[in-house]
Amino acid sequence: APIDAPVKRKVAAYARVSTDSEEQLTSYAAQISYYTEYIKGREDWEFVGVYTDEGISGCSTKRREGFQRMISDAMAGKIDLITKSVSRFARNTVDSLTTIRLLKENNVECYFEKENIWTFDGKGELLLTIMSSISQEEARSISENVTWGHRKRFADGKVSVAYSRFLGYDKGPDGKMVVNPEQAEIVKLIYRLFLEG
């Protein structure tokens, strides 16, 4: 390469889906192909890869292997720039900002494409703090809605049971629990043995 050739930035992307539903997995495949083409399409960027996690809730960065691998590769100098959308990075403000600062100290920039935020830019951190807070609030509100839904069903006497892994009962024709006579004998035995020590 000629001496004055511009140094290409080593760029990676992060893609995540939170559930295993068909629609989400389609979105997952679309994210991967989109980021691969997007990065490879720029002359000044060198494609490192797309790091991925599937079937994981975004509220914590723990247990996200693809994410953790990407961060450690960035720390090892294999990545100069990570591109993603804020809501797909970390839903927890503190986690997000801690990770971004850590990357920044190691000279790795993040570009949040949908929001058009570059973390080396002065406005970047302020915008991120605001947007991460909104993302976190959204996740909290969804979680509260789900909890409320469960409470409401319990209050109405509706119980959801994983019958395939639930000993002693079957789902009746009306959706209510019905004693399974064969399994009931096992349940009685378990209690009797317990009481006998």
Side-chain angles (χ1 to χ4, degrees):
I3 293 163
D4 58 355
V7 178
K8 287 186 169 195
R9 292 183 87 177
K10 299 188 288 278
V11 185
Y14 179 63
R16 175 177 69 73
V17 292
S18 49
T19 65
D20 300 323
S21 78
E22 197 63 44
E23 182 189 338
Q24 284 273 9
L25 293 172
T26 310
S27 132
Y28 183 63
Q31 283 182 68
I32 295 169
S33 79
Y34 167 75
Y35 280 112
T36 305
E37 285 170 36
Y38 173 59
I39 296 168
K40 286 183 171 173
R42 284 193 51 157
E43 285 294 305
D44 53 341
W45 286 3
E46 182 190 319
F47 179 70
V48 175
V50 180
Y51 293 78
T52 60
D53 281 311
E54 53 187 302
I56 299 169
S57 149
C59 291
S60 169
T61 53
K62 294 169 193 67
R63 281 192 1 262
R64 286 162 58 183
E65 283 148 32
F67 185 81
Q68 300 297 359
R69 205 173 60 251
M70 175 180 72
I71 301 301
S72 63
D73 281 356
M75 298 316 223
K78 296 178 187 169
I79 303 170
D80 302 317
L81 175 68
I82 294 168
T83 173
K84 202 62 209 98
S85 141
V86 170
S87 63
R88 284 276 169 264
F89 196 66
R91 286 258 172 83
N92 175 313
T93 313
V94 178
D95 273 358
S96 279
L97 295 172
T98 308
T99 305
I100 286 159
R101 288 196 185 118
L102 180 69
L103 290 166
K104 210 168 176 178
E105 281 158 22
N106 285 270
N107 217 24
V108 179
E109 185 167 22
C110 296
Y111 169 49
F112 296 102
E113 188 205 359
K114 202 170 74 191
E115 297 80 6
N116 195 24
I117 297 172
W118 295 85
T119 54
F120 284 6
D121 174 336
K123 305 186 300 267
E125 193 146 327
L126 172 66
L127 275 167
L128 271 165
T129 309
I130 296 165
M131 300 198 68
S132 296
S133 300
I134 292 166
S135 276
Q136 194 174 354
E137 187 53 39
E138 241 172 50
R140 193 179 66 80
S141 147
I142 290 165
S143 158
E144 278 176 4
N145 289 349
V146 170
T147 308
W148 180 86
H150 287 312
R151 287 211 174 106
K152 178 85 179 80
R153 279 202 305 282
F154 291 151
D156 295 345
K158 291 177 187 149
V159 183
S160 60
V161 173
Y163 288 98
S164 62
R165 298 195 300 271
F166 194 74
L167 194 65
Y169 291 93
D170 292 324
K171 186 176 187 172
D174 57 355
K176 292 200 169 92
M177 295 168 88
V178 179
V179 172
N180 175 315
E182 275 174 46
Q183 293 178 3
E185 291 309 310
I186 301 166
V187 174
K188 287 176 192 166
L189 176 67
I190 291 168
Y191 278 98
R192 194 166 64 245
L193 292 171
F194 173 77
L195 292 169
E196 287 167 8

